[in-house]
Amino acid sequence: MPQSTTGSIDSPSPQWRGGAAAIAMLTFAVDGETPVLAAGRRYAQHAMAMSHQAYDARRGLPRLLGILAEFDISATFFVPGLCAERWPHAISAIVEAGHEVAHHSYSHRPSTELTPAEERWEFERGLEALHALDIHPVGYRSPMWAATWNSAETATSIGLGYDTSLMDDDRPYIIETTAGPLVELPPHWSLDDWEQYAYLNEPRIGNIIEPPEKAMQLWLAELDGMREFGGLFQLTMHSFLSGRPGRARALRTLIETILERGDVAFRTGAQLREAVLADPGVERRKLEPVVADPHTYPNW
């Protein structure tokens, strides 16, 4: 049976939106070399692959920070701990520009491929790396959104306040854990630039390069849908992808278009978490793992 819920998610104007038709949350993953190294340690020897990812902090991130400054918009940047160690000045520059930095594991290895102890190590080691830069994150995103049924409990137990890894909604809700409430800010693949721009021949982290116009068409359709149905437009970008010149220009146009709509408010993850916790009508849930019968589903 579906989990029973409390509160009404169909309220015409929930408090968490603050009177806006929809909330836009601009998020950026500053992954650096971690997604490639997660595919295999041997890729550290591939100079092209490493340089492809170094574009992230060297050029893409400063360009995107400049565009956000043009509009005085605060965004949320998800940073793996290893990237914080390799590029400390770049990550500190995010905070200095007035943006939020959130937790994105240590190594960017998908949690679903780790043991519970390994996943917890990723949480703790990534947190240590951010603390070393005097960054104290509130939010978390699983690498590749590969959350486990343990992720929410672990995140809350180490003091994190929101997650953005689960895709069963397009509005925020609260997960009840044994360590306290965890705000879930649901993402979706359709609002991720990886599915539009990611290409690398080895390792094969993606095999597509779409024009920014196509990405814009998809994202604006989702934006207007969220405006009609009152949802969270959470755009996920990567500075080694969306920081490329033509794509960065498209992001500027997207922001201009959102502002022209006139009924969408921008929020960081931390700001949205506070708004969700203050709204008594927000749905609360307990995660219930799916149990697959081995006789019905014999293939592991």
Side-chain angles (χ1 to χ4, degrees), residues 16-287:
W16 66 267
R17 291 208 314 261
I23 297 297
M25 179 178 165
L26 301 183
T27 73
F28 299 85
V30 187
D31 292 336
E33 297 85 353
T34 61
V36 172
L37 293 175
R41 189 176 68 251
R42 64 189 180 278
Y43 292 113
Q45 305 304 315
H46 290 217
M48 182 280 292
M50 290 294 97
S51 68
H52 183 271
Q53 298 307 118
Y55 185 91
D56 200 334
R58 291 190 188 280
R59 187 63 62 205
L61 176 60
R63 180 171 289 136
L64 294 173
L65 288 175
I67 288 175
L68 292 171
E70 292 175 19
F71 299 96
D72 194 24
I73 290 174
S74 295
T76 300
F77 290 77
F78 291 88
V79 179
L82 182 61
C83 188
E85 291 174 349
R86 283 189 52 78
W87 302 98
H89 298 298
I91 305 309
S92 294
I94 297 171
V95 178
E96 292 167 3
H99 302 289
E100 175 189 9
V101 170
H103 195 319
H104 196 35
S105 84
Y106 178 72
S107 70
H108 207 278
R109 292 178 296 165
S111 299
T112 49
E113 298 178 5
L114 305 177
T115 66
E118 289 170 334
E119 182 182 15
R120 186 170 189 91
W121 181 88
E122 289 279 338
F123 270 100
E124 294 175 346
R125 186 69 183 85
L127 200 61
E128 289 175 8
L130 294 176
H131 284 175
L133 299 180
D134 198 25
I135 295 172
H136 302 276
V138 176
Y140 173 74
R141 171 177 288 162
S142 295
M144 306 301 294
W145 289 315
T148 72
W149 294 112
N150 299 317
S151 298
E153 289 281 348
T154 304
T156 311
S157 71
I158 66 170
L160 296 171
Y162 75 84
D163 172 69
T164 168
S165 305
L166 305 180
M167 300 192 182
D168 54 351
D169 213 324
D170 51 35
R171 307 175 193 187
Y173 60 90
I174 296 172
I175 300 172
E176 298 285 10
T177 79
T178 59
L182 182 72
V183 172
E184 181 62 35
L185 306 177
H188 194 259
W189 295 104
S190 62
L191 290 172
D192 184 358
D193 67 351
W194 198 290
E195 278 57 58
Q196 306 300 319
Y197 300 147
Y199 176 87
L200 196 62
N201 62 335
E202 188 180 3
R204 184 70 73 170
I205 64 171
N207 59 357
I208 189 168
I209 301 179
E210 296 284 4
E213 294 78 13
K214 177 179 177 291
M216 282 278 291
Q217 182 179 13
L218 173 63
W219 295 339
L220 286 175
E222 284 298 300
L223 172 71
D224 289 334
M226 295 297 185
R227 292 172 59 232
E228 177 178 348
F229 296 108
L232 169 60
F233 176 83
Q234 182 179 180
L235 189 62
T236 297
M237 293 157 284
H238 299 74
S239 37
F240 77 95
L241 296 175
S242 284
R244 303 294 305 186
R247 300 165 184 175
R249 293 181 69 230
L251 174 61
R252 179 191 286 118
T253 300
L254 177 66
I255 294 173
E256 290 172 343
T257 304
I258 294 173
L259 292 171
E260 288 169 1
R261 293 292 194 266
D263 57 3
V264 179
F266 288 91
R267 296 287 184 272
T268 65
Q271 290 170 339
L272 190 50
R273 171 184 177 268
E274 294 301 317
V276 169
L277 289 174
D279 186 344
V282 169
E283 184 178 4
R284 292 176 175 263
R285 308 176 186 174
K286 290 184 178 181
L287 296 184

